[in-house]
């Protein structure tokens, strides 16, 4: 089995599920509180591991209770943690999440040690990155670190998958390193300036990303499915209809599942269908990592 290296963030999610998300200045009484492990990188690592991936996680935590608990949980999921570094000064990352009754969410993140994951830190993991079956990353850690890892991987022929969330400006040098990029509609528009309101917009945005040097593009469209663009040809892959209760980590589960399917040698369309099925299961459950399905649950 080809190893998946996930480089990214790890947070503790503090979640309140209420009737709706409060407006600015408003207080809503009632609701349920949950505290769960999260962070886009950790979510994707856990999702990949539960779906059968051989996963190494590269991240940074604080020297605190949250950091120690996170490393323990990763180990229980079968994830290699030798490159989960500890920062002596910064705290572990925390996310505050509001979830409304229909599953929509609002999130604020205090990055803490995630923001201190540097190229110097990941040098220890360079051999692991350069020998991986795939490198999966997001944008909750410094862009210079992401670029560094992507350049190492691409130079050795390792496929680099970037989930560009949360959206931010990216250096031009990063795009040619990417075998695959997986923005949602908002992220695709931010990266290309093209509004993704229909298939024509999705196709134009995907073509613009490929023109920057990206190999293949998947624009995720939530309940509408995903637009897959490969070699100048594009097609929609429909989502699996479910009743959502919490969409918090759906994109992360999709990314982790996609990496697993691709490292197993599946064709891109088949891999997207596998990832969509995994994501559809996750939105029927509360929590981030807690919502990630197991391999036995994926039936297409």
């Amino acid at each position: 089995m080809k190893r998946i290296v996930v480089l990214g963030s790890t947070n503790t999610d503090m979640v309140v599920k209420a009737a709706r998300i409060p407006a600015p200045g408003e207080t809503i009484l009632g609701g349920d509180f949950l505290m769960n492990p999260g962070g886009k990188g950790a979510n994707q690592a856990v999702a990949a591991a539960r779906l059968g991936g051989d996963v190494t996680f590269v991240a940074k935590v604080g020297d605190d209770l949250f950091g120690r608990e996170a490393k323990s949980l990763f180990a229980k999921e079968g994830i290699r943690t030798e490159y989960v570094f500890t920062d002596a000064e910064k705290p572990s990352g925390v996310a505050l999440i509001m979830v409304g009754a229909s599953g929509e969410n609002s999130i604020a993140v205090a990055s803490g040690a995630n923001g201190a994951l540097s190229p110097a830190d990941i040098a220890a993991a360079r051999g692991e990155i350069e020998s991986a079956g795939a490198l999966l990353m997001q944008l909750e850690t410094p862009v210079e670190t992401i670029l560094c890892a992507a350049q190492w991987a691409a130079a050795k022929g390792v496929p680099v998958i970037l989930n560009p969330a949360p959206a931010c400006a990216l250096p031009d040098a990063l795009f040619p390193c990417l075998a695959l990029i997986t923005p949602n509609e908002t992220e695709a528009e931010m990266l290309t300036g093209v509004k993704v309101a229909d298939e024509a917009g999705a196709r134009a945005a995907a073509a613009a990303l490929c023109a920057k040097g990206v190999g293949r593009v998947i624009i995720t469209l939530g309940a509408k499915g995903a637009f897959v663009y490969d070699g100048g040809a594009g097609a929609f892959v429909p989502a699996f209809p479910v009743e959502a209760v919490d969409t918090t980590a759906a994109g992360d589960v999709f990314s982790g599942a996609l990496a697993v399917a691709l490292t197993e040698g599946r064709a891109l369309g088949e891999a997207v269908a596998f990832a969509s099925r995994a994501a559809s299961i996750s939105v029927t459950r509360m929590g981030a990592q807690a919502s990630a399905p197991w391999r036995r649950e994926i039936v297409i």
Side-chain angles (χ1 to χ4, degrees), residues 8-268:
S9 59
T10 174
N11 294 321
T12 298
D13 291 348
M14 299 185 183
V15 185
V16 174
K17 185 173 177 62
R20 58 183 173 81
I21 296 173
E26 180 184 18
T27 299
I28 295 177
L29 296 179
D32 299 316
F33 173 73
L34 304 91
M35 190 165 70
N36 301 310
K40 298 190 75 64
N43 295 346
Q44 293 179 16
V46 169
R50 288 189 180 181
L51 292 169
D54 180 5
V55 179
T56 295
F57 190 33
V58 181
K60 201 167 197 181
V61 298
D63 185 14
D64 51 32
L65 177 62
F66 288 159
R68 289 187 287 275
E69 180 67 12
K71 290 184 73 170
S72 175
L73 289 173
F74 299 148
K76 289 178 182 177
E77 295 283 355
I79 297 167
R80 288 179 171 81
T81 62
E82 54 262 49
Y83 304 112
V84 178
F85 308 106
T86 300
D87 193 296
E89 298 179 359
K90 293 185 178 296
S92 297
V94 172
L96 303 180
I97 303 174
M98 284 292 307
V99 180
S102 63
E104 77 279 12
N105 61 61
S106 178
I107 306 173
V109 178
S111 297
N114 294 306
L117 182 67
S118 69
D121 289 323
I122 68 168
R126 182 169 182 170
E128 188 82 355
I129 290 168
E130 292 180 336
S131 62
L135 171 63
L136 174 61
M137 298 187 288
Q138 328 73 36
L139 297 176
E140 288 185 338
T141 47
V143 172
E144 61 265 30
T145 306
I146 292 164
L147 175 60
C148 179
Q151 289 175 328
W152 289 343
K156 296 295 184 179
V158 176
V160 180
I161 305 169
L162 179 68
N163 173 220
C168 69
L170 297 175
D172 290 340
L174 179 60
F175 294 102
C177 299
L178 304 180
L180 181 62
I181 193 168
T182 62
N184 63 20
E185 309 103 297
T186 303
E187 293 151 3
E189 181 177 355
M190 178 170 286
L191 291 172
T192 66
V194 178
K195 187 171 182 61
V196 181
D198 52 24
E199 181 172 349
R203 186 179 301 275
L209 287 166
C210 287
K212 291 175 180 283
V214 177
R216 300 186 289 184
V217 179
I218 300 169
I219 299 178
T220 56
L221 304 165
K224 293 181 286 186
F227 182 78
V228 181
Y229 190 82
D230 183 12
F236 272 106
V237 176
F240 291 82
V242 294
E243 185 173 341
V245 298
D246 183 6
T247 61
T248 301
D252 297 330
V253 170
F254 181 95
S255 294
L258 184 70
V260 170
L262 290 173
T263 54
E264 289 178 350
R266 298 189 187 215
L268 186 58

